[in-house]
Amino acid sequence: MKALILVGGFGTRLRPLTLSVPKPLVCFANKPMVLHQIEALKEVGVTEVVLAINYQPEIMLNFLKEFEDKLHIKITCSRESEPLGTAGPLALARANLVDGSGEPFFVLNSDVISEYPFAELIKFHKSHAGEATIMVTKVDEPSKYGVVVMEEKTGKVEKFVEKPKMFVGNKVNAGIYLLNPSVLDRIELKPTSIEKEIFPNIAADHKLYAMVLPGFWMDIGQPKDYIVGLRLYLDSLRKKSSLKLAVGSNIVGNVLVHESATVGEGCLIGPDVAIGPGCVVESGVRLSSCSVMKGVHIKKHACISRSIIGWHSTVGRWARIENMTILGEDVHVSDEIYSNGGIVLPHKEIKSSILKPEIVM
């Protein structure tokens, strides 16, 4: 089987992290976002993954080369010379996706994190005579989304309602699809939306089905959702393979600590924290609801909550970092500094406190 991951453009919502690497290579729970998806695809027998991209394909391919060898899976890039929306990239990558076998192929949005129930999706797709299956997830506020109206028993999609004013349902597109090759005949090589143009046409022909996604789901394409997604992911890890989580008297709730990281005495870590490779956390540090990426050094008695600390950054002694502060790569925060929602671009030194949310250029 094959899969296409819609990588897209510049990842502006996750800046300053995406100023250093393309968005799919931003670390989430100690591995690049896209690697979570590739590993799950490999588990259900996918042999080739195509990355639909219009930004920095060379960096992507160079980085993923080691995983291609490690996972024994072929990873290629299909580069757009102009943005083609969410359907155009399928037409562009047609030669990579169709091999004459008639097998369906996966399409994923690269921002989506979940338990990736691909085996169940394949089983459901083969059980109906439709052309396409989309995964849907239940949300509390459907008025913010495009709602999928479907038959509960069969899963057949009846229609889509964009940001409904009245309640018509609470299931929304989860950005995970399994499509027959015939779907490609419906897509022209031009900027096209798969959600607003292609899927409604397939639904009108009574050939579109939806499966409710079991477990958690989150689009982690912006910082606050990234932090929520980390909590959901670690909670899922607790249920499925809790041995991967850290334990100890200084650990509260779900915490992921890379084996090469060191944590000093008297720290309180958690809940919902990921500490990446080679990190040094000195004594007396307090961490909660945060992601600490590769090579970060957190000095004594610093306190970090609801924030993301980018690669190879330093947080000084007694510093307090909170309220969705995002430090880009190689940012150095001096001792006793306070950051309240600061967005700090790479390679900066912070010598004075950031008292209200602002971008530090």
Side-chain angles (χ1 to χ4, degrees):
M1 291 183 79
K2 300 190 177 188
L4 180 127
I5 299 177
L6 294 164
V7 172
F10 301 105
T12 49
R13 296 183 302 162
L14 265 186
R15 284 180 181 165
L17 302 171
T18 49
L19 294 174
S20 296
V21 296
K23 182 174 58 177
L25 301 186
V26 170
C27 290
F28 177 82
N30 293 351
K31 67 174 79 165
M33 282 185 193
V34 75
L35 195 55
H36 290 274
Q37 297 183 331
I38 292 172
E39 287 177 346
L41 290 165
K42 166 72 178 173
E43 277 185 26
V44 294
V46 170
T47 55
E48 181 176 350
V49 174
V50 182
L51 304 174
I53 188 167
N54 58 31
Y55 176 59
Q56 295 183 316
E58 298 82 10
I59 296 174
M60 287 281 291
L61 282 177
N62 290 342
F63 187 90
L64 291 167
K65 187 77 184 114
E66 63 169 298
F67 298 111
E68 190 175 43
D69 298 337
K70 200 181 290 182
L71 296 171
H72 305 294
I73 189 168
K74 186 178 179 184
I75 302 172
T76 57
C77 274
S78 173
R79 185 173 188 179
E80 306 163 34
S81 55
E82 61 166 333
L84 290 172
T86 50
L90 278 71
L92 186 64
R94 182 181 183 120
N96 298 81
L97 296 172
V98 176
D99 57 9
S101 68
E103 280 274 284
F105 58 89
F106 288 97
V107 176
L108 312 181
N109 286 346
S110 67
D111 295 352
V112 168
I113 195 85
S114 76
E115 290 172 4
Y116 304 123
F118 294 147
E120 295 95 315
L121 178 57
I122 293 169
K123 188 177 177 184
F124 176 70
H125 183 76
K126 290 183 175 176
S127 73
H128 63 70
E131 247 186 290
T133 305
I134 65 174
M135 297 213 87
V136 295
T137 186
K138 294 178 181 178
V139 294
D140 295 330
E141 292 185 62
S143 61
K144 289 162 54 178
Y145 303 88
V147 173
V148 180
V149 180
M150 56 188 270
E151 291 177 7
E152 290 298 321
K153 273 189 177 178
T154 63
K156 184 181 282 188
V157 174
E158 296 171 0
K159 61 180 178 178
F160 296 84
V161 183
E162 194 63 32
K163 296 182 180 176
K165 297 283 187 287
M166 295 172 63
F167 184 84
V168 293
N170 65 345
K171 299 179 188 73
V172 303
N173 184 342
I176 299 171
Y177 320 128
L178 191 55
L179 312 178
N180 287 351
S182 58
V183 170
L184 295 171
D185 297 333
R186 298 174 176 267
I187 304 171
E188 293 180 49
L189 185 53
K190 64 178 186 179
T192 316
S193 167
I194 199 166
E195 302 88 354
K196 295 179 180 177
E197 298 173 67
I198 306 304
F199 286 156
N201 289 342
I202 302 174
D205 291 341
H206 310 291
K207 291 185 176 180
L208 182 65
Y209 286 76
M211 174 183 160
V212 178
L213 181 88
F216 80 97
W217 175 88
M218 182 56 63
D219 177 329
I220 56 172
Q222 55 187 355
K224 65 181 176 63
D225 294 334
Y226 176 107
I227 293 295
V228 173
L230 183 61
R231 173 177 62 79
L232 296 172
Y233 174 84
L234 293 175
D235 192 44
S236 171
L237 203 58
R238 164 77 62 196
K239 293 168 187 165
K240 295 178 85 173
S241 47
S242 61
L243 293 176
K244 292 181 180 178
L245 294 172
V247 291
S249 58
N250 62 335
I251 301 294
V252 179
N254 299 326
V255 174
L256 193 63
V257 180
H258 192 272
E259 58 191 17
S260 64
T262 58
V263 178
E265 295 195 357
C267 293
L268 190 58
I269 312 293
D272 309 321
V273 172
I275 300 174
C279 290
V280 176
V281 180
E282 294 186 5
S283 60
V285 165
R286 175 73 178 104
L287 303 177
S288 65
S289 298
C290 63
S291 178
V292 179
M293 295 183 182
K294 181 179 179 180
V296 166
H297 188 166
I298 302 172
K299 296 184 178 178
K300 292 179 181 179
H301 306 293
C303 178
I304 302 172
S305 66
R306 293 191 68 242
S307 296
I308 303 172
I309 311 301
W311 310 267
H312 307 292
S313 291
T314 305
V315 177
R317 294 183 181 197
W318 295 101
R320 187 178 183 92
I321 308 291
E322 62 185 22
N323 192 26
M324 293 315 307
T325 290
I326 316 293
L327 304 185
E329 181 184 17
D330 183 41
V331 168
H332 302 283
V333 177
S334 299
D335 295 348
E336 301 179 20
I337 291 295
Y338 172 61
S339 174
N340 172 24
I343 306 293
V344 186
L345 272 63
H347 315 299
K348 299 292 175 190
E349 191 170 356
I350 303 300
K351 294 183 176 179
S352 57
S353 291
I354 303 168
L355 301 178
K356 63 180 192 300
E358 62 176 284
I359 298 170
V360 178
M361 307 286 280

